[in-house]
Amino acid sequence: MTKLLLPFCFALITLLSACTKTTVDPTVPTETAQVRQARQWLTAQPKWVVAKASQNNSVYYQRGVQQVGEVDMEVEWLRFLPENRFEVQLLGDAQPTALFYRIDDKTNELIVSETADFKKLLDWRTKIDNIHDKSVDLFIREGDDDLITLTLEP
């Protein structure tokens, strides 16, 4: 009797475990581990501040260093929130500007938009390789030629 019971229990367990397996829908895109890590690092910090700003690879602002000449640094802080919301606090503004971000799985780029449907893209981008737990390099294209790099730190 026990010789029959053991194979029967094994077959029953195998059958039941097969019924509980979830299937993966190949049409639904899955987030890569690198994208999940980048999103986690972005949202883990309550605020990011500009540590350094450069234009066309020439540094024009560095936090904690007395600046020579006129410096146009308008960003006080940035914050990446869950649900792909993004806030930028500009100096002198009472409230932060609400924006939206997403990480494109195809290009591995963080992109920023004025609208949740991403129909009003801003030219603010970075590859997820530039996102770390304690720093982010955000690239902003102004006009046709000027590339501004903001190095953000918590």
Side-chain angles (χ1 to χ4, degrees):
M1 178 76 172
T2 56
K3 287 183 179 180
L4 293 175
L5 187 59
L6 188 60
F8 176 74
C9 287
F10 180 72
L12 183 61
I13 290 171
T14 304
L15 180 65
L16 289 176
S17 66
C19 293
T20 61
K21 288 184 181 176
T22 59
T23 59
V24 176
D25 185 354
T27 61
V28 176
T30 57
E31 196 173 66
T32 66
Q34 191 178 16
V35 169
R36 275 192 306 277
Q37 182 68 71
R39 187 182 321 283
Q40 180 183 2
W41 283 336
L42 288 170
T43 58
Q45 301 301 332
K47 291 180 183 174
W48 293 88
V49 296
V50 178
K52 184 172 68 172
S54 60
Q55 184 170 357
N56 300 326
N57 294 321
S58 179
V59 175
Y60 67 88
Y61 171 82
Q62 193 157 351
R63 186 177 178 87
V65 175
Q66 185 173 356
Q67 309 304 312
V68 177
E70 189 174 322
V71 176
D72 187 18
M73 177 49 57
E74 298 175 356
V75 177
E76 189 172 341
W77 53 260
L78 302 96
R79 179 174 24 217
F80 294 88
L81 300 165
E83 289 105 36
N84 294 342
R85 293 182 317 122
F86 178 64
E87 294 180 338
V88 178
Q89 179 65 50
L90 300 176
L91 291 171
D93 285 359
Q95 296 291 324
T97 302
L99 300 170
F100 300 88
Y101 77 94
R102 73 173 182 218
I103 299 175
D104 188 322
D105 285 331
K106 293 180 183 98
T107 62
N108 280 340
E109 276 189 313
L110 176 139
I111 51 180
V112 178
S113 175
E114 291 181 37
T115 58
D117 61 6
F118 285 83
K119 291 188 178 182
K120 287 189 172 185
L121 291 177
L122 296 175
D123 212 348
W124 297 20
R125 297 176 180 266
T126 194
K127 291 283 189 186
I128 59 175
D129 294 339
N130 297 317
I131 300 171
H132 306 282
D133 61 337
K134 299 292 182 192
S135 71
V136 175
D137 288 329
L138 183 61
F139 302 97
I140 301 171
R141 176 80 54 192
E142 287 191 349
D144 293 332
D145 299 323
D146 294 333
L147 179 65
I148 296 174
T149 304
L150 299 180
T151 300
L152 309 174
E153 294 179 348

